[in-house]
Amino acid sequence: MWLCKLNERGMLRRSFVPPEPVRDLRSLTRTRSRLAQDQVRHQNRVEKILEDALLKISVVISDLFGASGRRFLDALVAGERSPKALAALGHPQLKATPQQLAAALTGRFREVHAFEIATHLRLIDAINDEIARLDAAIEQQLASIPGGGAGLRQLRADRRRPRARLRQQGHARPGPGGTPR
């Protein structure tokens, strides 16, 4: 009630309300951010399940959800339990040796772990699909805002620049356990 009185007397400052395309863009990016948080939550849950099964895969590979890590996870879900067979799925460019991979893949992985990981992997894949759709919608929305397309190109360039500079200097970002990625 007292806010109405203050407004009637002109004692409240007007607030900035962005144009509708900018509000729509904010809504889309907010949704994308929440989905990315959900994705990370499911990825962390998969790592927790692996730790519960005494599998220390994330110690020997830097990206559990990269190509090799995903092959390990898919094989475990499909029923493969042999550490040597699982280690053979690793990409030859992995820093870890097949013996290190086999040691990390030795544990007590049970069917309940496979079921839980399969559930989380399906959710992660669905979230990735939705994020891709949101990225397309965000690009369309940016294109509709004057100067938005240039802003997107600048954001992408800024995001790539530090990585390229590190690669040129021969530096690699350390992964878990101090191993380079």
Side-chain angles (χ1 to χ4, degrees):
M1 180 79 174
W2 61 276
L3 282 175
C4 292
K5 298 244 185 233
L6 290 174
N7 191 34
E8 287 174 358
R9 294 183 174 94
M11 298 175 72
L12 293 178
R13 286 185 290 151
R14 299 209 177 263
S15 60
F16 171 72
V17 178
E20 190 171 301
V22 174
R23 290 195 311 261
D24 293 344
L25 179 63
R26 286 180 176 179
S27 177
L28 290 171
T29 55
R30 207 173 291 121
T31 301
R32 188 193 186 288
S33 174
R34 296 290 155 108
L35 283 176
Q37 290 171 357
D38 290 343
Q39 178 188 22
V40 169
R41 189 169 45 89
H42 289 293
Q43 288 174 344
N44 289 340
R45 186 67 191 138
V46 168
E47 288 193 40
K48 177 75 171 130
I49 293 166
L50 290 172
E51 287 177 11
D52 182 50
L54 301 177
L55 299 180
K56 304 295 182 190
I57 303 171
S58 57
V59 172
V60 293
I61 63 173
S62 60
D63 186 9
L64 183 59
F65 296 92
S68 292
R70 189 60 192 251
R71 279 195 301 270
F72 294 144
L73 294 173
D74 290 338
L76 283 166
V77 167
E80 182 61 56
R81 301 294 184 262
S82 167
K84 288 189 181 202
L86 289 168
L89 296 172
H91 194 275
Q93 291 181 342
L94 281 177
K95 302 283 188 236
T97 65
Q99 294 79 18
Q100 290 172 323
L101 287 172
L105 292 163
T106 302
R108 295 182 301 168
F109 196 83
R110 301 186 325 256
E111 287 305 312
V112 69
H113 297 126
F115 182 81
E116 286 180 314
I117 287 178
T119 301
H120 287 290
L121 290 177
R122 282 192 305 273
L123 290 169
I124 289 168
D125 291 341
I127 290 171
N128 282 334
D129 292 342
E130 292 303 319
I131 287 175
R133 283 189 199 89
L134 276 169
D135 285 343
I138 289 170
E139 285 189 36
Q140 285 179 338
Q141 191 64 34
L142 274 171
S144 72
I145 297 172
L152 177 63
R153 284 190 295 279
Q154 182 63 38
L155 280 174
R156 286 184 178 159
D158 289 345
R159 200 170 50 204
R160 289 186 190 127
R161 198 171 296 130
R163 291 184 199 147
R165 199 176 313 125
L166 283 174
R167 270 187 247 120
Q168 288 172 354
Q169 294 172 354
H171 297 291
R173 229 173 65 208
T179 59
R181 289 186 181 194

